[in-house]
Amino acid sequence: IPVPPEAASDFPVSLVIDAKNDVAFLLTKAGFVYMFDIHSGKTMFRTRITQETMFVTCAQASTGAVFGITVRTGRVYRVGLNGANLIPYIVNTLRDNDLAIKVAGRLGLPGAEHLYTQQFEALMGAGQVKEAAQLVASSGTALRTPQTIARFQQIPAEPGAPQPVFQYFSTLLEHGKLNEQESIELAKPVLQQGRPQLMEKWLKDDKLHCSEALGDLIMPHDTAMALSVYLRSETHAKAIQCFVQRGEYDKIVPYSTSVGYSMDYSSMLSQLLFNNPQGALDLAKGLVSAEGGPLIDIQA
């Protein structure tokens, strides 16, 4: 413990764990607070917050903060991690870039973007594709950009080895869920290769970000899967188009009503009358018997 010279005889009286951020707060008899990174054991911050001793402390699970009450005056103190300033402090004051990168990636904190970029460029320059992908995955959102995807797409594949961009996406999938752009860029080659079962598995495991653009990519290959994406992304108009294409006219009215989506049912009925009379009948039945009253003028 880095005890300051003016408190050489000081000693700990309480240790409280912030389980939310994997941080330990040590409070001392002289009123000092130390903040440690649990994973490395390194001291991230130290300051004196009171001249008194805190005789009782506790953690707040929802925020990770620590509360303490002083002995003589009964003052209540609240101590917590300042996410906006922690990484810049570690970089500029402690000058510990390794700790800054690890903590920023684990907690998703800002301030280490330039460090990630430097390390990423060094790994890519050395041809360490796997290590670069792992760095991106552990960087929070710092390197999860379209530019990073493009870098991996530009690397030629080695004979007998998977394409680097697939190695990249595979690493990201091991760590969690892809963002919108990553999901789209992964879907393109997978669908081109005729492997929709992989998309289905990733969607089932909630590994892809559902968006209208992703649904549009899937639509020519698998209407049911596209419908699932449109439903999750709340792309109501295209979800209804899928119901029409699949002939599931009886689902249109319940779905539109449940999500509060209004549409021109009269025009849809007119088009169906010429192309699919039975479908028009099924839709009309749903419109007339809709909960809350008919959705079309039955006298028109």
Side-chain angles (χ1 to χ4, degrees):
I1 300 174
V3 178
E6 68 272 20
S9 61
D10 194 17
F11 57 88
V13 295
S14 179
L15 179 66
V16 185
I17 304 300
D18 168 9
K20 180 180 179 182
N21 298 306
D22 286 351
V23 169
F25 289 96
L26 181 71
L27 294 92
T28 72
K29 182 178 183 299
F32 281 87
V33 172
Y34 297 79
M35 184 171 70
F36 300 98
D37 170 42
I38 289 179
H39 293 263
S40 64
K42 292 182 177 180
T43 304
M44 294 191 291
F45 188 68
R46 179 194 70 199
T47 190
R48 191 173 197 174
I49 61 173
T50 178
Q51 300 295 320
E52 299 183 57
T53 302
M54 293 189 190
F55 75 98
V56 62
T57 56
C58 68
Q60 185 179 39
S62 60
T63 64
V66 173
F67 289 87
I69 303 177
T70 58
V71 174
R72 292 195 300 271
T73 60
R75 288 183 177 179
V76 178
Y77 286 84
R78 181 182 185 275
V79 179
L81 185 150
N82 186 330
N85 295 324
L86 178 60
I87 303 304
Y89 179 82
I90 294 175
V91 172
N92 300 321
T93 303
L94 301 183
R95 299 190 179 280
D96 191 335
N97 291 348
D98 181 64
L99 178 62
I101 287 175
K102 291 177 179 177
V103 174
R106 191 176 74 243
L107 301 182
L109 299 178
E113 291 80 4
H114 64 294
L115 298 177
Y116 280 118
T117 300
Q118 292 172 6
Q119 191 168 348
F120 176 75
E121 292 297 337
L123 291 171
M124 292 291 276
Q128 296 177 278
V129 176
K130 182 178 179 180
E131 290 76 6
Q134 291 173 339
L135 174 67
V136 177
S138 65
S139 71
T141 60
L143 294 175
R144 301 279 291 271
T145 65
Q147 292 75 22
T148 298
I149 299 173
R151 289 291 298 278
F152 283 96
Q153 289 173 329
Q154 293 163 4
I155 303 174
E158 296 289 336
Q163 293 183 355
V165 70
F166 282 128
Q167 286 184 284
Y168 172 60
F169 286 131
S170 177
T171 301
L172 295 184
L173 287 168
E174 290 174 2
H175 284 74
K177 186 174 182 177
L178 302 188
N179 62 34
E180 181 176 353
Q181 192 62 37
E182 292 163 351
S183 300
I184 291 170
E185 293 301 324
L186 175 59
K188 290 177 181 177
V190 169
L191 292 172
Q192 287 173 356
Q193 293 174 9
R195 304 170 70 186
Q197 67 276 9
L198 288 177
M199 297 293 297
E200 187 174 1
K201 179 183 184 302
W202 292 327
L203 285 168
K204 183 179 179 181
D205 296 341
D206 195 28
K207 291 289 189 176
L208 302 179
H209 179 97
C210 291
S211 64
E212 180 178 357
L214 181 62
D216 292 346
L217 277 175
I218 297 173
M219 186 68 173
H221 303 271
D222 192 315
T223 306
M225 196 188 306
L227 173 59
S228 174
V229 172
Y230 289 139
L231 292 175
R232 296 188 201 185
S233 62
E234 299 183 355
T235 310
H236 305 312
K238 292 190 176 179
I240 291 172
Q241 288 179 14
C242 284
F243 286 135
V244 172
Q245 188 166 333
R246 291 167 55 83
E248 297 174 331
Y249 303 103
D250 57 319
K251 295 182 179 180
I252 294 176
V253 174
Y255 172 74
S256 299
T257 303
S258 66
V259 299
Y261 181 74
S262 59
M263 56 184 298
D264 187 351
Y265 291 113
S266 297
S267 296
M268 181 177 289
L269 273 175
S270 299
Q271 294 175 8
L272 284 175
L273 280 172
F274 292 100
N275 302 322
N276 189 334
Q278 183 58 50
L281 178 60
D282 292 340
L283 177 59
K285 288 178 179 178
L287 293 171
V288 171
S289 60
E291 184 178 349
L295 296 177
I296 57 171
D297 184 0
I298 59 177
Q299 302 298 329

